[in-house]
C-alpha cells in the first residue's frame, strides 16, 4: 500500500515537472541552459522588486531569539532541572558556560553580518540589461509558438506556409487583472520612459498572403512559464474587421474586485466561428497615469497596418 502511494506521489510530481518544463518558454531556446534560466528569473525579480539587502528582518529577529534561548537555558532552565535531578554541579556550571559563550558568539556574528550587509552598495538592474534578458525570452516564445501552432493547426503542414520563413508580429500587454496570472503584476517605468511589466499577455501573428496564424498565451517573467495557450488560423476573407482603438470595459482583479479598464486595444473580429474576436490591450491608461511612462506601440501599428491592408 505504501509502495503504491509512493509511486502515485512521484508519478504526479513527475507529471507536474514535465508540464512545467513543457510550458517554460526559455527551454525552446537553442542555447538554453538551466543556469542561464535561473539567472534570468533572478534578474527580472531584481529589476522589478529592487536591489534588496540579503540580510532581512527575520534574520535579525533570529539572532536575538537564538541569543535569548542560549541565555535562558544556560542561566535558568538547565540549572533548575539539574539541581532538581541532583546532577553534578561541575557539569552544570560547564553547561552554563558553554551556552553563555554560544549566545555571545551568535550575537557577535549576527551583529557583524548586519553591519556588513548595511555597508554594501546594491546596484539596480538597468533597462538595457532587462531588455537583453527579455529578448532571450522572446526567442523562446517564438520557437514555442511555432511548435504549438504546428501541433494544433494540422492544415499548416499541407498549406505550404512555412512559419520559419516569416517574422511574426510580436504584441504583448501588461496583464494584472486576470485570474490567469498566478503572481502579482509588477510594473516599472524605466529611465527611458518605457513601461515594463512582469506579467504579459502575448499575441504572435504569423502573416501570409491569404491567411495569418495567431498564437496567444499568458507569460510570467518571474517563473518563465506560458499558460493558457491558444492557436488560431484566420483567413483574411473570414475577418469582418480589424481595429486599433480606445476601449473601456469592466473586469475582475485577482482580489475579486470589479474594476473599469481603459485601454488601447488591437482586435481582430471574425465573421463567424467559435472564437469571433481575439484582441490584445497594447496600452493600459491606468498604468500610464500611475507611472507617467508610455507603452511601445511600434509593433502594434505595424500589425494593424498589415491586417488592415488585407481585410476588405
Amino acid at each position: 500500500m505504501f509502495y503504491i502511494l509512493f509511486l502515485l506521489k512521484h508519478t504526479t510530481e513527475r507529471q507536474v515537472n514535465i508540464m512545467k518544463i513543457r510550458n517554460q518558454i526559455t527551454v525552446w531556446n537553442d542555447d538554453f541552459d538551466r543556469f542561464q534560466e535561473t539567472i534570468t528569473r533572478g534578474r527580472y525579480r531584481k529589476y522589478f522588486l529592487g536591489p534588496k539587502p540579503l540580510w532581512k528582518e527575520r534574520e535579525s529577529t533570529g539572532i536575538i531569539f537564538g541569543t535569548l534561548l542560549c541565555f535562558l537555558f544556560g542561566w535558568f532552565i538547565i540549572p533548575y532541572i539539574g539541581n532538581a535531578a541532583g546532577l553534578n554541579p561541575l557539569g552544570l556550571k560547564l553547561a552554563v558556560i558553554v551556552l553563555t559563550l554560544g549566545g555571545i558568539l551568535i550575537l557577535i556574528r549576527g551583529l557583524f553580518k548586519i553591519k556588513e550587509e548595511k555597508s554594501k552598495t546594491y546596484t539596480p538592474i538597468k533597462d538595457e540589461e532587462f531588455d537583453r534578458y527579455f529578448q532571450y525570452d522572446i526567442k523562446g516564445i517564438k520557437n514555442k509558438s511555432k511548435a504549438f501552432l504546428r501541433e494544433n493547426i494540422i492544415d499548416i503542414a499541407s498549406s505550404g506556409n512555412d512559419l520559419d520563413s516569416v517574422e511574426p508580429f510580436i504584441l504583448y500587454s501588461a496583464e494584472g487583472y486576470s485570474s490567469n496570472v498566478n503572481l502579482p503584476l509588477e510594473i516599472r517605468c524605466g529611465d527611458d520612459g518605457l513601461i515594463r511589466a512582469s506579467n504579459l499577455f502575448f499575441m504572435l501573428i504569423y502573416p501570409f498572403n491569404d491567411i495569418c496564424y495567431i498564437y496567444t498565451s499568458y507569460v510570467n517573467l518571474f517563473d518563465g512559464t506560458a499558460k493558457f495557450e491558444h492557436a488560431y488560423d484566420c483567413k483574411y476573407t473570414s475577418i469582418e474587421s480589424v481595429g486599433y482603438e480606445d476601449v473601456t470595459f469592466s473586469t475582475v482583479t485577482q482580489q475579486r474586485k470589479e474594476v473599469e479598464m481603459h485601454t488601447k486595444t488591437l482586435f481582430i473580429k471574425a465573421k463567424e466561428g467559435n472564437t469571433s474576436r481575439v484582441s490584445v490591450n497594447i496600452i493600459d491608461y491606468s498604468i500610464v497615469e500611475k507611472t507617467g511612462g508610455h507603452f511601445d506601440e511600434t509593433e502594434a501599428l505595424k500589425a494593424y497596418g498589415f491586417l488592415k491592408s488585407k481585410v476588405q
Side-chain angles (χ1 to χ4, degrees):
M1 181 64 180
F2 288 112
Y3 179 70
I4 294 173
L5 290 173
F6 175 82
L7 285 179
L8 286 173
K9 178 179 182 295
H10 285 270
T11 302
T12 303
E13 287 177 352
R14 178 171 172 76
Q15 289 173 344
V16 170
N17 289 335
I18 290 173
M19 188 178 297
K20 183 166 184 180
I21 290 174
R22 181 177 173 78
N23 286 337
Q24 200 158 15
I25 57 176
T26 44
V27 300
W28 298 86
N29 285 328
D30 298 332
D31 56 350
F32 169 80
D33 67 78
R34 180 61 58 184
F35 179 75
Q36 178 63 49
E37 166 65 11
T38 304
I39 292 295
T40 299
R41 303 306 142 205
R43 302 304 274 179
Y44 279 141
R45 286 185 172 87
K46 190 173 181 181
Y47 179 82
F48 287 107
L49 303 178
K52 296 182 178 179
L54 299 176
W55 200 262
K56 302 176 182 177
E57 290 183 3
R58 61 183 178 183
E59 280 83 1
S60 303
T61 304
I63 292 170
I64 297 171
F65 185 69
T67 303
L68 290 176
L69 275 181
C70 287
F71 291 162
L72 180 66
F73 273 87
W75 294 353
F76 299 103
I77 296 178
I78 289 181
Y80 176 79
I81 295 174
N83 290 330
L87 298 179
N88 188 340
L90 183 60
L92 291 176
K93 288 181 180 179
L94 183 61
V96 170
I97 293 172
V98 170
L99 285 170
T100 302
L101 290 175
I104 294 172
L105 287 174
I106 292 173
L107 184 61
I108 292 173
R109 184 178 181 277
L111 292 174
F112 176 77
K113 280 288 183 183
I114 291 174
K115 183 179 178 181
E116 184 181 48
E117 288 293 333
K118 285 185 175 180
S119 65
K120 288 182 179 178
T121 302
Y122 296 91
T123 307
I125 301 298
K126 295 184 179 298
D127 299 330
E128 295 78 11
E129 186 174 354
F130 173 91
D131 293 340
R132 187 169 67 252
Y133 286 115
F134 190 60
Q135 288 306 311
Y136 173 75
D137 278 349
I138 289 291
K139 180 181 176 183
I141 203 166
K142 282 170 64 176
N143 291 337
K144 189 174 193 333
S145 66
K146 288 185 281 190
F148 189 84
L149 288 168
R150 291 181 180 121
E151 182 181 344
N152 290 277
I153 302 178
I154 57 176
D155 294 339
I156 291 181
S158 59
S159 68
N161 294 325
D162 182 9
L163 296 177
D164 292 325
S165 67
V166 297
E167 190 65 26
F169 297 107
I170 303 175
L171 314 176
Y172 49 86
S173 62
E175 182 59 55
Y177 296 103
S178 173
S179 59
N180 294 331
V181 180
N182 63 350
L183 289 175
L185 172 65
E186 300 292 344
I187 294 291
R188 177 174 167 183
C189 180
D191 294 334
D192 54 3
L194 186 64
I195 298 171
R196 296 168 175 84
S198 62
N199 297 331
L200 299 167
F201 173 76
F202 270 92
M203 177 189 288
L204 276 70
I205 304 173
Y206 290 84
F208 292 91
N209 289 330
D210 59 349
I211 193 173
C212 66
Y213 301 101
I214 300 175
Y215 166 88
T216 64
S217 67
Y218 293 87
V219 174
N220 189 307
L221 298 182
F222 284 177
D223 61 16
T225 55
K227 298 183 179 180
F228 302 98
E229 299 170 284
H230 289 85
Y232 308 92
D233 55 340
C234 300
K235 291 184 177 179
Y236 302 128
T237 54
S238 67
I239 297 176
E240 180 178 297
S241 62
V242 177
Y244 185 44
E245 57 192 37
D246 290 346
V247 176
T248 300
F249 60 94
S250 296
T251 188
V252 178
T253 68
Q254 289 178 315
Q255 292 75 33
R256 296 178 181 158
K257 294 181 180 178
E258 187 174 352
V259 296
E260 191 174 73
M261 288 190 66
H262 304 279
T263 66
K264 191 166 188 179
T265 299
L266 187 147
F267 67 85
I268 303 169
K269 186 177 180 182
K271 295 177 180 177
E272 58 184 11
N274 294 330
T275 303
S276 60
R277 176 184 168 107
V278 289
S279 62
V280 53
N281 302 320
I282 302 300
I283 299 175
D284 186 330
Y285 289 112
S286 64
I287 296 176
V288 172
E289 183 179 353
K290 180 181 178 181
T291 62
H294 67 274
F295 289 94
D296 187 0
E297 297 182 78
T298 307
E299 195 77 354
L301 291 169
K302 289 180 182 178
Y304 173 67
F306 174 85
L307 293 170
K308 196 68 177 174
S309 68
K310 291 290 186 177
V311 176
Q312 304 301 326

